[in-house]
């Protein structure tokens, strides 16, 4: 794919090397110097939410189909690179390394096992076959072990995806979330209540009935019936009479009049609480909404 119609490739659908449909071709990235296509991006997510970079080398165009030399799982696991900006040399090198291509000239570098075998053969010609064969075998063993670990990890990821796909069937769906308020109560100290005695002075007025003796003069004539013995002498005489009276007497005493205590009781009231909650919205975007070309209507340059 060194020459082709950019508009045609942008409106095509990408398929993997195993014939499985991958997604719509979104963008084509061109070399700054030669203007030749080097990468294209394929939509591998739901509703156009994800684009993955794929090298153009090894791809072929078949009508409105672009057949890529990689499977869908390999493309979906490619390094995450922002498709809305210019590709940096470091990002290009990372993509080439992932797809096992040579960053300098785009030639296929082969697998680690292929390179190990070639190195062993060359070492024999140089005359240090024995030592270099041992070293090459050690490198090959380490490469095979690393490759086995990577294969197991990728198989686990692929199995998870197959399980999800088997559950979903032919339907594509997303899970929408939203936040809900869970309101409860928490007991805390709200204050204190105290009993305190203090002394105040009141002025009281009380009316008290009292008695007193007064002197009155009583004259009684003396006759034969009430004759009083008298010596018949004229002279001075004094008679002393004691008079009595009552006076108010005030005494004070402290008496218990009542007992004052504190009791706690629970009263119920309603308080209003307010908070912001978030929720997800789902929009559907189709090919018609996106258009057949890239976001800018033309192929971006890298």
């Amino acid at each position: 794919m060194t020459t082709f119609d950019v508009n045609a490739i942008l409106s095509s659908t990408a398929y993997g090397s195993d014939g499985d449909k991958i997604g719509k071709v979104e963008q084509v990235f061109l070399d700054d110097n030669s203007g030749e296509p080097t990468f294209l991006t394929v939509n591998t997510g739901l509703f156009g939410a994800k684009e993955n970079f794929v090298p153009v080398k090894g791809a072929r165009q078949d009508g409105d189909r672009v057949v890529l030399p990689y499977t869908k799982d390999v493309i979906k696991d490619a390094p995450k690179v922002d498709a809305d900006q210019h590709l940096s040399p470091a990002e290009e090198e990372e993509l080439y390394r992932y797809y096992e291509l040579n960053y300098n000239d785009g030639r296929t570098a082969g697998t680690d096992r292929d390179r190990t075998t070639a190195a062993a053969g060359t070492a024999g010609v140089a005359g240090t076959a024995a030592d270099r064969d041992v070293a090459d075998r050690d490198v090959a063993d380490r490469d095979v072990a690393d490759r086995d670990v990577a294969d197991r990890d990728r198989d686990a990821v692929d199995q998870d995806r197959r399980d999800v796909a088997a559950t979903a069937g032919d339907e594509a769906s997303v899970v929408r979330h939203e936040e809900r308020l869970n309101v409860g109560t928490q007991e805390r100290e709200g204050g204190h209540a105290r009993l305190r005695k203090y002394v105040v002075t009141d002025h009281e007025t009380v009316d008290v009935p009292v008695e007193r003796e007064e002197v009155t003069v009583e004259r009684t004539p003396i006759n034969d019936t009430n004759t009083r013995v008298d010596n018949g002498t004229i002279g001075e005489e004094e008679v002393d009479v004691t008079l009595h009276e009552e006076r108010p007497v005030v005494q004070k005493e402290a008496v218990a009049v009542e007992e004052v205590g504190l009791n706690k009781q629970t009263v119920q009231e309603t308080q209003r609480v307010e908070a912001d909650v978030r929720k997800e919205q789902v929009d559907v975007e189709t090919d018609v909404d996106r258009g057949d070309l890239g976001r800018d209507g033309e192929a971006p340059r890298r």
Side-chain angles (χ1 to χ4, degrees):
M1 291 182 62
T2 57
T3 59
F4 57 84
D5 185 353
V6 173
N7 290 334
I9 197 68
L10 286 173
S11 62
S12 61
T13 302
Y15 288 80
S17 58
D18 54 1
D20 289 344
K21 179 180 177 181
I22 300 176
K24 183 178 180 295
V25 177
E26 296 288 347
Q27 303 183 75
V28 176
F29 282 70
L30 309 179
D31 187 271
D32 289 337
N33 298 323
S34 64
E36 296 293 333
T38 55
F39 289 97
L40 55 83
T41 64
V42 181
N43 179 1
T44 59
L46 293 176
F47 312 117
K50 181 179 179 183
E51 292 183 38
N52 288 82
F53 279 82
V54 185
V56 174
K57 182 177 178 60
R60 59 184 177 85
Q61 189 173 6
D62 183 11
D64 60 350
R65 298 159 51 103
V66 174
V67 181
L68 302 174
Y70 309 100
T71 63
K72 183 176 182 179
D73 291 337
V74 172
I75 295 174
K76 291 180 67 174
D77 291 337
K80 305 302 182 292
V81 179
D82 190 355
D84 294 334
Q85 63 183 9
H86 188 279
L87 279 178
S88 67
E91 292 172 334
E92 290 183 2
E93 185 174 3
E94 183 182 10
L95 290 170
Y96 276 117
R97 186 184 302 112
Y98 174 78
Y99 286 105
E100 298 183 350
L101 296 176
N102 192 302
Y103 173 64
N104 295 323
D105 56 11
R107 291 181 291 103
T108 301
T111 62
D112 291 339
R113 186 173 298 178
D114 295 336
R115 287 197 294 271
T116 302
T117 304
T122 305
V125 177
T128 59
D131 295 338
R132 192 163 299 183
D133 284 344
V134 174
D136 290 339
R137 283 194 297 271
D138 292 340
V139 173
D141 292 340
R142 288 195 298 270
D143 291 339
V144 171
D146 294 340
R147 180 65 61 88
D148 291 340
V149 173
D151 290 342
R152 286 196 298 270
D153 293 341
R154 181 168 295 178
D155 290 342
V157 174
D158 293 342
Q159 183 61 43
D160 293 340
R161 288 174 177 161
R162 285 193 293 270
D163 293 341
V164 173
T167 303
D170 295 334
E171 298 181 356
S173 64
V174 295
V175 178
R176 190 180 69 84
H177 303 82
E178 66 180 18
E179 295 177 337
R180 294 182 178 177
L181 287 181
N182 294 324
V183 180
T185 59
Q186 181 181 15
E187 184 175 345
R188 64 181 180 88
E189 186 176 289
H192 294 271
R194 298 179 181 89
L195 282 178
R196 182 172 62 90
K197 291 196 306 181
Y198 59 96
V199 178
V200 296
T201 301
D202 294 334
H203 183 77
E204 295 184 359
T205 302
V206 180
D207 294 332
V208 180
V210 294
E211 294 181 351
R212 63 185 175 88
E213 296 176 339
E214 293 182 352
V215 176
T216 61
V217 178
E218 181 179 356
R219 297 176 184 274
T220 305
I222 298 176
N223 51 34
D224 293 337
T225 58
N226 57 356
T227 301
R228 178 178 179 181
V229 178
D230 183 63
N231 55 14
T233 302
I234 300 176
E236 295 180 358
E237 183 180 0
E238 291 183 0
V239 177
D240 185 53
V241 177
T242 302
L243 302 177
H244 298 84
E245 67 177 2
E246 294 179 340
R247 293 183 179 179
V249 178
V250 177
Q251 293 180 345
K252 293 184 288 186
E253 63 175 339
V255 295
V257 293
E258 66 177 348
E259 181 180 0
V260 181
L262 289 179
N263 293 324
K264 295 192 301 183
Q265 62 180 359
T266 301
V267 296
Q268 190 175 37
E269 63 180 6
T270 301
Q271 296 183 355
R272 178 174 297 175
V273 296
E274 297 181 358
D276 295 331
V277 294
R278 300 178 302 165
K279 62 181 179 180
E280 299 172 341
Q281 299 287 353
V282 178
D283 293 333
V284 178
E285 183 183 9
T286 64
D287 293 342
V288 176
D289 299 328
R290 293 195 305 269
D292 293 333
L293 298 179
R295 291 183 176 85
D296 299 331
E298 57 183 14
R301 303 180 66 85
R302 67 176 180 86

